[in-house]
Amino acid sequence: MLLALVSLSCTREDTGADIDTSGYTLFEVSMDDLLLDTASPYQLPWKEGDRIGVYGSESGDNAGFWLKESGEGKTVAEFYGPVVRGELITAYYPWSSTYEAEVDRMPVDLAHVQTYSTDVSPVSQFLLYSDMAFARMDVDGMLAFCYPFGILRVTVALDEPVYMTGACLESDTGIAGRMEVSPDGMAVPTDVSSRTITLDFSGNVVESADGNGNASLLFVLPAARYAAGSLSVSLSLTGGEKIQVSLGEVDVPKVSASDFMVADVVVATSGIPALDVEDGYFE
């Protein structure tokens, strides 16, 4: 485990002042797997003023670390901050003075009501609801940040078009609301987590198929392998009816810039209410 106390000089903090960082802890930090913007899954470089929060199992409690000036514009950089020690060291980005966590349980919130849009890309939808990244120091002393969430695309491919007023993803465990990120970077439910994620259609009626193809519903949820039957999709229709479909096994990978993957499920039917579910997994 690399945890070095170093003596540096002329490192700028966000005020623009040069300070002496003698006696600080220095971490090498990677943001290779985080997204830059909504246009493409580009890597996100560190920028002036960026700070990360660090927790150590022996010492260090939401210690705010500064980006070294030499790391600006790079995806791998060095951060310095107060002395942090422990066999387990975890971190989050961006730093907040009011964030409260423990080294092995870092809270994160995921909206249980998400917005549906006909023209939003999976990347854009993901970034609307995933604004924190987390890291655990590896054996090489690197803090590599990643998102704990992924994205599920449900394509509604019914033989007979239906008119939807809403959709809901239901789980047998918590998938939204207050979650906790474990040291391995996975989001796990708490006793106040929601078991549903509702797509808000903003009062619009969405046809399951039109001239642009079949409707796709995008849900941001914790990255995990969901067992067959543990997830279901409920479609609310204009006449007050509901179609509920239990999904097969679904593997939702963590979103990253280097390998942006979407878990894809197709809901198909040869007649309502008899429904078949075809599972797929695509880039």
Side-chain angles (χ1 to χ4, degrees):
M1 178 175 69
L2 177 61
L3 182 57
L5 297 183
V6 297
S7 178
L8 301 170
S9 62
C10 297
T11 302
R12 189 176 72 236
E13 58 179 325
D14 65 347
T15 61
D18 291 336
I19 65 172
D20 182 0
T21 59
S22 301
Y24 279 62
T25 303
L26 186 71
F27 288 116
E28 189 174 16
V29 179
S30 171
M31 197 185 265
D32 282 337
D33 281 339
L34 302 191
L35 302 177
L36 173 62
D37 56 33
T38 60
S40 299
Y42 295 125
Q43 293 176 338
L44 175 67
W46 297 106
K47 60 185 182 299
E48 181 183 350
D50 273 343
R51 297 188 72 180
I52 62 173
V54 182
Y55 286 80
S57 56
E58 294 180 11
S59 67
D61 185 9
N62 196 25
F65 274 56
W66 294 103
L67 172 68
K68 284 181 60 180
E69 183 179 357
S70 59
E72 292 174 14
K74 299 178 181 178
T75 59
V76 178
E78 291 180 325
F79 278 71
Y80 66 91
V83 175
V84 175
R85 296 190 180 91
E87 290 298 317
L88 177 61
I89 292 177
T90 55
Y92 70 96
Y93 171 81
W95 177 79
S96 168
S97 62
T98 60
Y99 186 74
E100 296 183 0
E102 297 179 16
V103 67
D104 59 344
R105 291 185 298 173
M106 310 192 82
V108 63
D109 292 311
L110 178 63
H112 69 277
V113 177
Q114 301 175 11
T115 301
Y116 170 81
S117 175
T118 57
D119 56 1
V120 69
S121 70
V123 174
S124 300
Q125 183 77 357
F126 181 82
L127 291 178
L128 284 174
Y129 300 105
S130 189
D131 58 358
M132 291 185 69
F134 300 86
R136 175 183 183 178
M137 194 173 73
D138 61 23
V139 294
D140 296 320
M142 173 77 75
L143 287 169
F145 281 88
C146 64
Y147 296 112
F149 301 129
I151 192 159
L152 173 66
R153 176 171 51 205
V154 178
T155 300
V156 183
L158 305 177
D159 291 345
E160 297 294 332
V162 296
Y163 296 92
M164 302 178 292
T165 58
C168 183
L169 182 69
E170 302 179 22
S171 173
D172 59 6
T173 187
I175 54 172
R178 175 53 57 98
M179 312 284 290
E180 289 182 343
V181 179
S182 62
D184 60 359
M186 305 301 289
V188 295
T190 68
D191 55 3
V192 295
S193 298
S194 171
R195 295 189 177 190
T196 63
I197 298 174
T198 300
L199 281 190
D200 181 6
F201 283 26
S202 302
N204 297 315
V205 175
V206 176
E207 189 175 358
S208 62
D210 56 24
N212 297 319
N214 295 313
S216 291
L217 312 175
L218 298 174
F219 296 90
V220 179
L221 72 165
R225 175 166 293 175
Y226 295 88
S230 64
L231 291 177
S232 64
V233 175
S234 176
L235 307 176
S236 299
L237 308 183
T238 52
E241 305 91 342
K242 283 193 175 182
I243 298 174
Q244 186 159 3
V245 183
S246 179
L247 304 182
E249 181 179 282
V250 180
D251 192 1
V252 179
K254 291 180 181 178
V255 160
S256 73
S258 58
D259 190 18
F260 187 85
M261 301 287 289
V262 176
D264 206 353
V265 172
V266 178
V267 175
T269 183
S270 56
I272 299 175
L275 292 170
D276 298 319
V277 178
E278 300 172 1
D279 291 332
Y281 186 66
F282 307 97
E283 292 190 10

